[in-house]
Amino acid sequence: MGKKVLIVGSGGREHALAWKLAQSPEVDQIYVAPGNAGTLGWNVKIEANDIPALLAFAEEKEIDLTVVGPEEPLTLGIVDDFQAKGLRIFGPSRTAARLEGSKSFAKEIMHEANVPTARWEVFQDSQKAKAYIQKIGAPCVLKADGLAAGKGVIIAENQETALQAVDEIMEGALSTSGKTLVVEEFLTGPEISLLCFTDGKMALPMVPVQDHKRALDGDQGLNTGGMGTYSPPPFWTAELERQVMREVVQPTLSVMQERGETFQGVLFVGLMLTPEGPKVLEFNARFGDPETQVVMLRLESDLLPVLWACTEGTLQNVSLSWSPETAVCVVLASPGYPQAYTKGIPIHLPSQISESQAIFQAGTAASTEGQLINSGGRVLGVSAKATDLIQARQAAYELVEQIDFPQVHYRRDIGIKGLG
């Protein structure tokens, strides 16, 4: 009998996971809660943070494996609640998910594990934070301690911006997640996302990805949840990967295990390749979005057995095979994103695309007439893979041109850094 899988979430990441799991000969039935217009045939009307309803659904349908996409249900303890009922679920427990849910906790773990990262201080008092900034000067980086959907980090180029950011994070729009503030030294170098499958004891790295966080070309404009990705970046090497696994991933997992907070699921390491070597910018406790889109395009192995092995503690029996090709994902966003944006714009997708292309839907819905419309900030992840970065970019942007989405906003320079 094939397995029944429930995917929790509604973004492009969840569409990519469903797309990949649908190719598994071991999967019989997929459900996505709540999903989007791209996962229409699989959708269940339950919000990702409605844990009691998800639990009841998983019991009723006898779900074999639940895969959690977003961070919120993880930090709310969905994994603990499912496991308490004897249900198999992929993702870290509530305490382990604090690696993403609390920047100060993550820094504490890095310190304990001797992981290379930026120097930092933690503040609960805005006046003390400001005094510290006046002492260290700018540029510096300010981070809200709690979850802020990718918007809780401010890179302050000068002291005035840094001091304003203290108020913004601790007393302004982010006040709930920003009661505690982390102030870090400013690091320079290319950024890399390395996602790793882990069963708590060992980890298997996925392919490296470079994300593009800023809204506008040339890394200008506001920070977003991610405007596009490509994999692999040409400056990543097998030696760098070994170093990161040895100096970052393994020590982090060991410290978590020693503390009785074993981390199982995806450990997402956000790195900066500084002149002194790789340093950790942040940990995330789940698949990245839009990193997952290019990772799934390049994964040649069946996804189900590796997820299963992570929940069993048997990851040592798994090996993964990856396409040597380059993958690119261009995010199409609503006009105005990441600030106020218009919803309900009709979108027309091409009727046919090639096997090496994929359109992963995120902020989409079907109108009452069944028309595809935008319903969120990041709307589509237009993805393609090809022999090299030049051809993969070309294939992705050619596909973008075939999509009718009035006033669409997207970056035209995804992957350009890799052509250096």
Side-chain angles (χ1 to χ4, degrees):
M1 274 293 287
K3 305 274 193 294
K4 293 181 193 168
V5 179
L6 168 64
I7 298 167
V8 176
S10 61
R13 161 187 48 215
E14 288 76 26
H15 188 187
L17 291 170
W19 171 85
K20 185 66 187 168
L21 283 165
Q23 298 165 32
S24 171
E26 294 186 35
V27 174
D28 201 31
Q29 176 72 52
I30 291 173
Y31 300 96
V32 186
N36 57 47
T39 54
L40 216 46
W42 297 316
N43 290 353
V44 181
K45 277 190 177 167
I46 303 173
E47 288 306 315
N49 57 6
D50 189 348
I51 295 169
L54 290 167
L55 199 53
F57 179 83
E59 286 190 305
E60 182 206 331
K61 295 289 182 190
E62 297 178 334
I63 296 294
D64 297 294
L65 175 68
T66 298
V67 182
V68 187
E71 56 274 26
E72 189 191 6
L74 293 170
T75 56
L76 291 172
I78 185 171
V79 169
D80 312 68
D81 293 356
F82 269 59
Q83 287 175 341
K85 294 280 193 179
L87 292 166
R88 185 184 299 273
I89 183 166
F90 177 85
S93 66
R94 189 165 61 89
T95 56
R98 284 190 299 157
L99 270 183
E100 174 167 7
S102 165
K103 300 280 192 297
S104 55
F105 174 76
K107 284 291 196 181
E108 197 183 301
I109 295 293
M110 287 184 228
H111 177 67
E112 232 173 283
N114 207 16
V115 163
T117 185
R119 290 192 305 277
W120 83 96
E121 290 288 337
V122 178
F123 298 94
Q124 262 106 17
D125 178 315
S126 60
Q127 292 313 310
K128 284 181 181 165
K130 287 178 182 177
Y132 176 71
I133 287 164
Q134 280 162 337
K135 190 177 88 179
I136 64 161
C140 59
V141 181
L142 294 89
K143 296 179 174 180
D145 182 62
L147 294 176
K151 309 215 176 61
V153 176
I154 294 172
I155 297 165
E157 309 279 349
N158 55 55
Q159 200 162 290
E160 191 188 348
T161 309
L163 297 173
Q164 277 174 346
V166 172
D167 294 333
E168 204 174 304
I169 291 175
M170 297 187 89
E171 280 134 36
L174 296 171
S175 56
T176 47
S177 54
K179 290 205 187 326
T180 299
L181 173 74
V182 179
V183 180
E184 285 186 5
E185 73 168 317
F186 177 74
L187 299 177
T188 56
E191 284 187 42
I192 291 287
S193 305
L194 186 68
L195 283 67
C196 302
F197 292 109
T198 176
D199 61 3
K201 302 187 293 285
M202 71 162 287
L204 274 182
M206 300 183 217
V207 286
V209 180
Q210 189 165 48
D211 188 14
H212 299 66
K213 282 280 182 207
R214 297 294 188 100
L216 307 175
D217 284 12
D219 290 332
Q220 300 297 306
L222 296 169
N223 253 346
T224 71
M227 292 300 294
T229 46
Y230 73 103
S231 171
F235 39 82
W236 185 256
T237 63
E239 180 42 50
L240 268 174
E241 183 175 287
R242 283 191 291 272
Q243 186 183 351
V244 171
M245 298 306 286
R246 184 177 67 241
E247 293 179 5
V248 175
V249 177
Q250 216 48 63
T252 300
L253 294 176
S254 299
V255 165
M256 292 295 282
Q257 215 173 355
E258 284 158 22
R259 293 172 67 124
E261 299 177 343
T262 298
F263 187 100
Q264 168 248 301
V266 173
L267 180 63
F268 170 141
V269 187
L271 293 161
M272 186 164 270
L273 307 183
T274 75
E276 297 93 60
K279 293 190 180 184
V280 176
L281 295 173
E282 63 173 0
F283 286 132
N284 291 326
R286 35 81 199 175
F287 284 104
D289 190 344
E291 285 89 352
T292 305
Q293 290 81 322
V294 288
V295 170
M296 290 302 125
L297 262 187
R298 291 192 61 205
L299 179 61
E300 289 181 337
S301 310
D302 187 341
L303 178 59
L304 186 80
V306 64
L307 300 178
W308 199 268
C310 288
T311 66
E312 286 274 298
T314 57
L315 197 57
Q316 76 274 9
N317 303 331
V318 173
S319 64
L320 296 172
S321 127
W322 299 96
S323 163
E325 293 189 306
T326 296
V328 171
C329 169
V330 180
V331 169
L332 302 197
S334 297
Y337 176 82
Q339 293 177 302
Y341 52 82
T342 316
K343 293 181 182 179
I345 301 170
I347 301 165
H348 296 274
L349 300 180
S351 53
Q352 274 186 314
I353 58 174
S354 81
E355 268 185 22
S356 58
Q357 295 173 316
I359 300 171
F360 297 117
Q361 298 190 31
T364 60
S367 70
T368 42
E369 296 81 43
Q371 166 68 50
L372 182 67
I373 55 171
N374 72 322
S375 61
R378 294 185 297 164
V379 182
L380 303 172
V382 181
S383 309
K385 65 177 179 180
T387 318
D388 59 29
L389 181 52
I390 291 175
Q391 291 178 49
R393 286 189 79 250
Q394 193 179 341
Y397 280 104
E398 278 174 3
L399 186 51
V400 168
E401 290 300 312
Q402 294 170 45
I403 295 168
D404 176 16
F405 180 177
Q407 298 171 280
V408 63
H409 166 61
Y410 61 93
R411 280 181 59 163
R412 287 161 173 78
D413 64 346
I414 303 301
I416 286 278
K417 288 177 201 168
L419 298 174

